[in-house]
Structure formats: structure tokens, C-alpha cells
Amino acid sequence: MRPVSFALKRAFGRLAVALPLTALAVAALAAPSHAADPPPGSVPPDQDPFYAAPANIGTYQPGQIVGTRKITPKIGDLDARSDVWQISYRSNDSHLAPQLVVTSLIVPKKAWTGTGARPIVSVQAPEDSTGTQCAPSYGLTSGNAIAGMGAVLSGQMLDKGWAVAMPDHEGPNSVFMVGPQTAHAVLDGIRAVKSFTAAPGIGKDNPWALNGYSGGAQATGWAAQAQRSYAPEIELKGAAMGGTPADPEAVARYIDGGIFSGFEAAAATSLAGEFPEMDLDPLMNDEGRKALKDAKGKCLTELLTAFAFKKLSQYSTVPDPLSVPRVQAVLKLNTMGAAAPATPIFNYHANTDEIVPVGQADKLVKDWCAKGATVQTTRSWIGEHALEMLLKNGEVMTFLTDRFAGKPAKNTCA
């Protein structure tokens, strides 16, 4: 496999196993007021009362709005061409415990002149981090080029007059490669926007689709397959996903000891925190316990720098911790493919992807097809992870445009 250049690695950090997006609104619907609140979005989420769950968060329904505020985005020319709100809402973690999540709603200032209500795409950014300061919503308000890259990459959607919602799909604990939690965050974010009334032309009748690449594709795929059971009232017109890390074990084994092993560290500390039943600590040596602690609260570039070329075996007291039954159970629970999405899927991937192996994405497609899904699959014979997202963007836009137009979806399932 040919090495990627430093520039490409930087590009990936900004748009691949982690593309980013977010923002929303003005009125503290049911949210407690804080006299000393800082200017909207001026401090990281951990210091911002807007991101703090109220004590009675468990009394809210999934997707019910907790608070809203309008913000001034500092990414590109979004402020000149769009109105942006941040919306906080109740969602659920992987064990269905209530938690507060924030999504960013970006609505073009230009009036919608198309047929029907303005389309909305939930864009899952490849956050690929373990710290809330790396969340897409904060990227919009801080101007952080990496965290806010999802908004930049949604430019063509905004140009078409579509609105974009960017959920902080890793949730308040910034958990990476966690399946059920991220599905809940995305779907509850759609529920929240559907009940939001401050943006003209946005409400319960807008058609919705999903889009995400790399870490954002992991969130997109999980939301697509969970929609039927978790949020059956939501209709999705389609879901585009590329460079998809569908199987955390397969991805871990592929990158272990390589330049991108920081993703492995992020996934390990995230899964261990979200699923205490994995009981990872007894399997770690002292160096491993320190690594799990050090991997928390970090953004993508920090993770890639700190854990490059690290092997899982150097941190563990057993030869292969991924094979331990309780670890296997958690990995399987977070592997996509157990249920077929009801919405049409566009699945793309480079056969030579140096970060996310194409084989596990092919298996996902096979599993979904066997369960009756409609999947349009495309593979590039040669390509690199970050560039594949850019090269396939035109096909993604065509797929989404056709879905909003009501055209029949292509199905390449055998």
C-alpha cells in the first residue's frame, strides 16, 4: 500500500474518518436561563451552559427540544449566505439512558423556489475525536477548520437551496465508533428540527436525507439501519455513505501498528466508556491504562500524532484483547449490518483505502442486501481515503437530488 503524504493526512483529518458540521438558535424553550451565559458559542461545550443537560432531562421525550439559540458561524461565508441555529434536545445513549445532544441547523437565506418544502440533509461530520471541543457545533462558532469542515463540505447542498442539519453525533461524551448512541443522536436530531419553529420553511413537512463520509458514514449507516425500529415516524429519502467503518474489529486490525492507529486508540477509550461491561481495564497493562486515559478529550490530529505506529498488544496483558469474549460481544454490538435500512443507500469506497478496509464495507453491503435493502454500490479501483470523498461528491449529489425528486433508486444488490 503506498504511503499517504503529510498533506493528505492533514486533509483526512479535516474531512475523512471524520468530516464535520453544526449550529442552532435563539429562545430558551424549556431550557433554564443563565444570567451569566457567555456569548453564544464563544467557549467550548464543556464550559458552555447551553450544552448542560437539565436535571429533569429524563422527563423529555427523545428528540424533544431543550433549548435553542441563533449563532454567528465563523466558517467560510456561511454567515453571509445562511441563518444558523443550535438546537439542544434529549437523546439516548447506547443503553437508552437520557443525554443532551446538540445539532446545528443551517438554512440558506435565499428563499426556496423548488417544488414542495425545502429539502434537509442531516450531514454527519467525521468528528473522529474524543473531546467535546472537537464537536461540529463548536467548530461552526469557533472557526476551527477541522471541526467545522463538515459545513464547508456541505456547500453544494446549500447552493441548491437545501438546508443542512449537523448533529454532534458523538454525543456529550464524544464517543467514537459507538453505533447505537450515534444512531439515536442523528435520528433524535431530525425529530428536534421537525419541531423547530423559528426558521421559516422548516418544520414537519420537509423531506430528509442522510450524508456522511468515514466516521460520518459510520453515524449515517447506523442511523439508516436504526430508523425503522427507533424512529419509525421519520421518512428518509435516501442515505449516502462512503469510506464506511462498519466493523470496528476489522478496522482495528487493519490499522493496528500503522500511521493511523490513533483511530484505534479513540475507538478503544470510547467503547470502554460507553460499555462498562467490556471491562477493558483488567486486560491492560500500566502503559495501556495510561494510553486509555491519555486518549480521552483529544481531537483527531492529537490522536493521530500521539498514537501513530502503536500496537494494541504493547498495551495489553493478553496476546489478543480483541478476541476476549466480552470484548467481542461489544464489538459485535457495534458492527453494522444486523438490520436492513428502509431507505435507499448509496455506498462508495476506494478498493485501496489505506485507513478503512473495503472488505468490511463489502460485507456490510452483502448483509444489507440479504435482508432486502436497496443499495447502489460503487467502488474505485484505485484511491485514497480522503480523496475518495472529494472525487465522489458529484455522484453523492446526483443520488440525493434524484431521491428528493422521487426518482426510483438504483439497486445493485445481486
Side-chain angles (χ1 to χ4, degrees):
M1 189 183 313
R2 66 182 178 168
V4 286
S5 67
F6 178 72
L8 180 59
K9 285 178 273 176
R10 290 290 299 274
F12 167 76
R14 290 171 183 162
L15 32 99
V17 168
L19 315 187
L21 293 190
T22 103
L24 232 156
V26 122
L29 268 88
S33 62
H34 302 269
D37 279 357
S42 63
V43 296
D46 284 354
Q47 304 169 33
D48 189 339
F50 183 79
Y51 290 83
N56 65 339
I57 184 67
T59 66
Y60 288 74
Q61 294 300 307
Q64 184 177 349
I65 292 176
V66 175
T68 69
R69 65 185 182 185
K70 198 168 188 179
I71 60 99
T72 300
K74 297 179 181 178
I75 294 292
D77 62 349
L78 276 182
D79 186 37
R81 61 195 291 214
S82 310
D83 291 311
V84 184
W85 292 265
Q86 290 175 340
I87 304 167
S88 67
Y89 54 95
R90 181 256 171 92
S91 190
N92 294 310
D93 70 7
S94 296
H95 297 88
L96 299 181
Q99 59 180 202
L100 188 85
V101 178
V102 171
T103 190
S104 301
L105 177 64
I106 307 172
V107 182
K109 292 181 184 292
K110 186 177 180 180
W112 171 247
T113 58
T115 303
R118 187 193 297 269
I120 307 177
V121 181
S122 180
V123 175
Q124 285 60 251
E127 189 175 337
D128 302 356
S129 68
T130 59
T132 59
Q133 76 276 17
C134 327
S137 60
Y138 184 59
L140 284 177
T141 57
S142 68
N144 181 282
I146 296 178
M149 185 57 67
V152 176
L153 295 171
S154 298
Q156 289 191 27
M157 298 176 194
L158 298 171
D159 288 343
K160 290 180 72 71
W162 302 348
V164 166
M166 287 192 308
D168 291 352
H169 59 83
E170 289 191 1
N173 298 316
S174 295
V175 287
F176 172 58
M177 286 296 287
V178 171
Q181 180 277 330
T182 197
H184 302 160
V186 173
L187 294 169
D188 287 330
I190 294 175
R191 283 169 163 158
V193 173
K194 278 180 168 288
S195 64
F196 183 63
T197 59
I202 302 298
K204 60 183 180 62
D205 296 325
N206 301 85
W208 281 84
L210 306 176
N211 183 41
Y213 189 81
S214 191
Q218 185 259 355
T220 295
W222 268 97
Q225 79 168 30
Q227 173 272 322
R228 198 193 301 260
S229 60
Y230 185 77
E233 81 282 5
I234 293 176
E235 179 187 356
L236 296 172
K237 296 297 185 181
M241 48 193 287
T244 307
D247 182 340
E249 179 183 357
V251 175
R253 295 191 184 281
Y254 189 68
I255 62 175
D256 188 48
I259 195 169
F260 297 109
S261 55
F263 290 117
E264 188 177 22
T269 194
S270 295
L271 289 168
E274 184 78 359
F275 297 94
E277 61 269 33
M278 190 162 71
D279 197 17
L280 196 57
D281 188 74
L283 304 178
M284 298 288 100
N285 56 28
D286 289 343
E287 185 181 2
R289 293 187 188 95
K290 182 178 185 301
L292 286 176
K293 182 178 180 180
D294 290 345
K296 295 179 180 179
K298 301 291 193 300
C299 291
L300 176 63
T301 52
E302 297 173 279
L303 290 161
L304 292 179
T305 300
F307 294 96
F309 305 110
K310 301 294 186 181
K311 293 183 69 68
L312 188 58
S313 60
Q314 76 185 71
Y315 295 129
S316 63
T317 58
V318 296
D320 184 12
L322 296 178
S323 295
V324 173
R326 65 180 183 271
V327 175
Q328 275 282 304
V330 171
L331 292 173
K332 183 177 180 180
L333 179 64
N334 288 275
T335 297
M336 259 185 267
T343 193
I345 300 293
F346 179 66
N347 182 289
Y348 61 104
H349 211 113
N351 285 334
T352 54
D353 191 313
E354 75 282 11
I355 298 172
V356 182
V358 69
Q360 50 89 53
D362 290 341
K363 183 180 185 303
L364 169 65
V365 170
K366 183 178 179 180
D367 290 343
W368 276 352
C369 286
K371 294 177 174 65
T374 296
V375 185
Q376 179 183 346
T377 305
T378 181
R379 297 287 182 259
S380 298
W381 286 107
I382 298 175
E384 290 174 306
H385 189 80
L387 293 180
E388 185 68 5
M389 180 193 70
L390 300 176
L391 293 174
K392 291 293 185 181
N393 189 59
E395 293 180 50
V396 168
M397 290 300 298
T398 296
F399 172 82
L400 295 175
T401 299
D402 288 347
R403 300 292 74 73
F404 285 134
K407 296 181 179 180
K410 182 178 181 180
N411 190 359
T412 57
C413 290

